[in-house]
Amino acid sequence: MARRRWRRRPAAMAAAAHPAAKPPRAVIPRRLLAALLPAALLLALLSGCASGTMRGVDAHPPTKGLLHVLQQAGQMGNVSDRGYRVEVEVAEGQPEGGRETELRLRVLNPSGQPAEDFAEDMTKLMHFIVVSKDLAEFQHLHPTYEGGGAFSLKLTFPHGGPFLLIAEFMPDGKGLTVYKTWIEVGGAKQEANPPVPSAAPSIVADGLEVKLSSMPSTGELKAGEMAMLDFSVRKAETGERIVLEPYLGTPGHCVILDANAQQYLHVHAAAEMSTGSSVMFHATFPKAGVYKLWAQFQYEGKVITAPFVVNLS
């Protein structure tokens, strides 16, 4: 049996290793800045009263709280494959829509050799996203590591046609790495249903009403500027607030793709700015256009997926 070997994610971030280096600046719209500035000033004052001196956040980057959220916003965007590749093998020829398929994934480093050391990212060694070309179908899976750079999983493609496979992992101490590839699935194809901006601010999924609000508002989101995305969850029938459970080590996950499936973001909840029934994300959309968001939470042991579509100018 192949030996399983991996390293855990390093505890220190690059900013801490080079305290003199200034982190990337987030572009924050004036309206959002005006809303957040009082809280930021209050936080700074409280820090000053506690320590007796005011520390520069560039020299001592915050690791939690509002300022941490603001600084991290400038670091979101498409993540490179760093020269790594993921070979996809199907157990029995071409996959068929509606039938369970077993995939074997082989991660190769830039030299073409199997990558063997992987760090955990949000409790998993690999996140595997599967979406149809029109973004109508979505799956967020976690393959099993078999050692020697090989992962395996079983899944069912809902129908035939092209599907995008996105593997997200942290190999060889290189940090977050994303590799995207397409696969053609046999069988009957569905009529394309391209994403259109959501007409309502809320949807019902598995008996829960999930409502999206944002700063700036969804009609005023702009590419290159930080957006705060807040999802509130209640019981659909009664309106009763619920208490969400941690999902993969965080209050929630949000996968984002543009309409052409070229721009990809996978953002995690800002835990300090989330509550039991409300989960806050921050993201910077790289380009203008239509984007589809899949927000995911866990309630009573079940993962809830809430899709929304927004249009950025």
Side-chain angles (χ1 to χ4, degrees), residues 40-273:
L41 290 176
L42 177 60
L43 181 61
L45 289 173
L46 291 176
S47 299
C49 292
S51 63
T53 59
M54 293 295 291
R55 297 182 176 183
V57 294
D58 291 337
H60 303 277
T63 58
K64 61 182 180 179
L66 177 63
L67 295 181
H68 173 66
V69 170
L70 294 178
Q71 288 194 346
Q72 290 298 308
Q75 302 177 23
M76 304 306 299
N78 260 0
V79 180
S80 167
D81 59 23
R82 302 181 187 274
Y84 283 77
R85 294 186 297 111
V86 179
E87 293 183 343
V88 180
E89 299 178 357
V90 182
E92 298 180 4
Q94 184 186 34
E96 191 80 10
R99 187 181 67 188
E100 185 178 72
T101 299
E102 182 176 356
L103 298 182
R104 181 178 176 84
L105 314 173
R106 190 162 174 258
V107 181
L108 303 178
N109 64 25
S111 299
Q113 300 300 314
E116 297 189 7
D117 292 320
F118 296 87
E120 287 185 354
D121 177 36
M122 290 296 162
T123 76
K124 299 295 180 180
L125 295 183
M126 178 180 285
H127 296 268
F128 195 67
I129 308 299
V130 181
V131 293
S132 57
K133 187 175 182 180
D134 62 359
L135 308 188
E137 305 291 346
F138 170 87
Q139 297 182 61
H140 178 179
L141 308 170
H142 304 101
T144 299
Y145 186 50
E146 299 179 344
F151 292 78
S152 65
L153 76 158
K154 294 181 180 180
L155 75 161
T156 299
F157 294 97
H159 55 74
F163 280 77
L164 178 64
L165 309 179
I166 305 173
E168 183 178 319
F169 50 94
M170 299 180 67
D172 305 323
K174 299 297 184 181
L176 191 62
T177 302
V178 172
Y179 184 84
K180 297 186 289 186
T181 188
W182 290 89
I183 188 171
E184 185 68 29
V185 178
K189 299 181 180 180
Q190 296 286 339
E191 183 178 352
N193 185 24
V196 295
S198 301
S202 64
I203 68 163
V204 175
D206 294 297
L208 299 177
E209 180 187 36
V210 183
K211 183 177 181 180
L212 168 63
S213 58
S214 66
M215 296 175 61
S217 64
T218 53
E220 298 180 353
L221 295 174
K222 295 185 181 298
E225 296 184 350
M226 185 183 72
M228 305 296 285
L229 307 173
D230 182 70
F231 295 87
S232 58
V233 187
R234 301 169 181 254
K235 290 186 177 180
E237 290 188 0
T238 64
E240 176 186 354
R241 290 185 178 274
I242 64 171
V243 177
L244 295 168
E245 302 160 354
Y247 173 48
L248 302 176
T250 184
H253 288 248
C254 188
V255 172
I256 304 172
L257 274 169
D258 71 340
N260 297 319
Q262 295 179 348
Q263 305 296 327
Y264 167 76
L265 298 91
H266 180 179
V267 295
H268 307 138
E272 297 88 352
M273 302 178 72

